[in-house]
Amino acid sequence: MSIGNDSGHRRLIILGSGPAGLTAAIYAGRANLKPMLLAGNEPGGQLTLTTDVENYPGYPDGVQGPEMMEQFRAQAERFETEFVNGHVVGVEFGRRPFVLHLEGGKELTCESLIIATGASARWLGLESETKLRGRGVSACATCDGFFFKDRVVGVVGGGDTAMEEALFLTKFARQVHVIHRRDELRASAIMQKRALGNEKISFVWDSVVEEVISEDGAAVEAVSLRNLKTDDTSKLSLGGLFIAIGHTPNTEIFRGKMNMNDEGYIDTVEHSTHTSVEGVFACGDAADSVYRQAVTAAGTGCMAAIDAERWLSSIE
Ligand SMILES: Cc1cc2nc3c(=O)[nH]c(=O)nc-3n(C[C@H](O)[C@H](O)[C@H](O)COP(=O)(O)OP(=O)(O)OC[C@H]3O[C@@H](n4cnc5c(N)ncnc54)[C@H](O)[C@@H]3O)c2cc1C
């Protein structure tokens, strides 16, 4: 839907159509707030990049990520959410109502705003990696580790995230190779100690993945590696590859306009979704560097709608 010819002012606008934004829409719609939701450039959010989701409650047989997001959207539509295919490129929080600048030059204003713009996993940027996403290449061990029982897997990275992913994967995989571009880890001392002391984890130092190999394109079979010190190349057989080089929250447009941590995750007041700007609420992965799951995103999306509804009532 495109934005109609009306004033472009809404009581509540929600940014993002992943689990957090769509859950916020369901709750705000049922609270009679008639929210407008801007879907952004990635309608449905991160789960549209994956296949099987087996850990979202209510789906005992699992569900495909894109299908689940269709169902979230249908539920939000049932309660009068106004969907708009818009992406916000700038915000003005210094005046009320708030002003949102959209790609293409349009403007919207709102009394209150829910930010559910999510985060993006960082990838290596290889064509073969993109082709094999969901076919053995993953950026989330919590989500996909279970599919790799008794396999040999690789983890790319050397920070805390990579060590956490590697340690988690030892619960399923036969062996975990951590592939790191340097000869020492960036991870905290405690995480290093745990990973280095785990007999299922081995380290491939000074090396980068140059290609993810699959003969038939159906599943990861190996990676080709290059040693950055010697320039030697080698092949390592693997049944799965986890990229653990971090996430980037999609919050660049809010930088300098509200409190966030050094990585760009939006600060919220403890046990709530209130941000440092009154009337602006944040939920999902944009404000969560710790859990980053669909169910936690949906949970905080619900909180944001309740917080926004109470805040709007308090100012009227
Ligand atoms: C490959 C993969 C597999 C995963 N598998 C699982 C799994 O099995 N189980 C699980 O629980 N979790 C899984 N996750 C994690 C899960 O997808 C995320 O935790 C969840 O999607 C976060 O939801 P969110 O609504 O906060 O953000 P996202 O899903 O990231 O959605 C963000 C939304 O914001 C929109 N947006 C961004 N910027 C703007 C802007 N400027 N203006 C307007 N809109 C904007 C985007 O278009 C998008 O719609 C997986 C993630 C990945 C990448």
Side-chain angles (χ1 to χ4, degrees):
M1 184 201 271
S2 59
I3 300 164
N5 292 327
D6 57 21
S7 70
H9 179 75
R10 299 290 184 282
R11 281 174 88 201
L12 172 65
I13 292 183
I14 299 166
L15 300 187
S17 52
L22 290 170
T23 304
I26 293 166
Y27 275 77
R30 293 190 77 251
N32 230 4
L33 292 174
K34 297 191 172 37
M36 174 188 271
L37 183 145
L38 301 189
N41 287 341
E42 197 186 341
Q46 291 172 68
L47 282 185
T48 59
L49 304 175
T50 193
T51 49
D52 297 296
V53 178
E54 292 196 330
N55 53 11
Y56 200 88
Y59 295 94
D61 301 322
V63 59
Q64 298 289 297
E67 185 192 337
M68 186 166 106
M69 295 325 295
E70 282 297 316
Q71 290 174 343
F72 269 55
R73 179 174 166 140
Q75 196 170 348
E77 269 169 345
R78 199 180 135 205
F79 301 112
E80 289 187 69
T81 297
E82 183 185 356
F83 281 89
V84 170
N85 293 325
H87 192 82
V88 172
V89 291
V91 293
E92 291 177 53
F93 289 157
R95 55 193 245 212
R96 289 181 193 257
F98 303 128
V99 183
L100 307 180
H101 299 277
L102 272 64
E103 221 167 53
K106 286 200 169 121
E107 273 183 21
L108 291 166
T109 57
C110 57
E111 306 301 321
S112 62
L113 180 72
I114 292 179
I115 299 173
T117 50
S120 306
R122 285 187 214 132
W123 300 94
L124 300 174
L126 305 170
E127 203 179 307
S128 52
E129 169 201 42
T130 311
K131 277 195 191 140
L132 290 163
R133 271 192 218 168
R135 296 185 169 86
V137 173
S138 171
C140 179
T142 310
C143 313
D144 297 331
F146 189 78
F147 300 121
F148 294 86
K149 271 189 189 152
D150 299 324
R151 305 266 194 89
V152 177
V153 299
V155 172
V156 179
D160 274 341
T161 309
M163 295 313 106
E164 266 170 34
E165 301 276 274
L167 285 160
F168 183 77
L169 286 165
T170 59
K171 297 183 204 305
F172 312 96
R174 187 152 42 95
Q175 197 184 0
V176 181
H177 296 290
V178 173
I179 302 161
H180 185 39
R181 56 185 305 126
R182 296 183 220 293
D183 58 6
E184 57 182 4
L185 299 169
R186 263 184 303 111
S188 58
I190 177 85
M191 292 306 289
Q192 288 201 28
K193 195 170 165 211
R194 280 188 203 151
L196 291 163
N198 190 305
E199 58 183 20
K200 277 194 178 179
I201 300 181
S202 61
F203 289 83
V204 184
W205 301 108
D206 300 312
S207 298
V208 290
V209 174
E210 291 207 309
E211 206 189 333
V212 191
I213 300 166
S214 169
E215 284 299 319
D216 57 4
V220 171
E221 287 157 18
V223 288
S224 75
L225 299 170
R226 185 163 61 84
N227 185 302
L228 294 174
K229 282 196 174 147
T230 62
D231 221 27
D232 289 343
T233 53
S234 58
K235 189 170 158 184
L236 179 66
S237 295
L238 294 175
L241 184 69
F242 288 80
I243 313 299
I245 53 176
H247 288 76
T248 308
N250 303 320
T251 57
E252 200 49 43
I253 53 172
F254 309 110
R255 196 171 281 280
K257 301 189 172 170
M258 61 199 317
N259 293 349
M260 51 178 72
N261 73 10
D262 292 343
E263 292 172 88
Y265 289 95
I266 297 171
D267 286 343
T268 50
V269 176
E270 212 178 343
H271 304 307
S272 86
T273 61
H274 288 264
T275 69
S276 58
V277 181
E278 219 189 297
V280 179
F281 306 87
C283 53
D285 284 14
D288 172 16
S289 62
V290 180
Y291 302 106
R292 289 196 297 251
Q293 292 296 293
V295 69
T296 46
T300 54
C302 153
M303 288 165 64
I306 293 174
D307 287 342
E309 193 273 326
R310 289 182 184 161
W311 183 80
L312 283 165
S313 302
S314 77
I315 59 160
E316 285 163 358

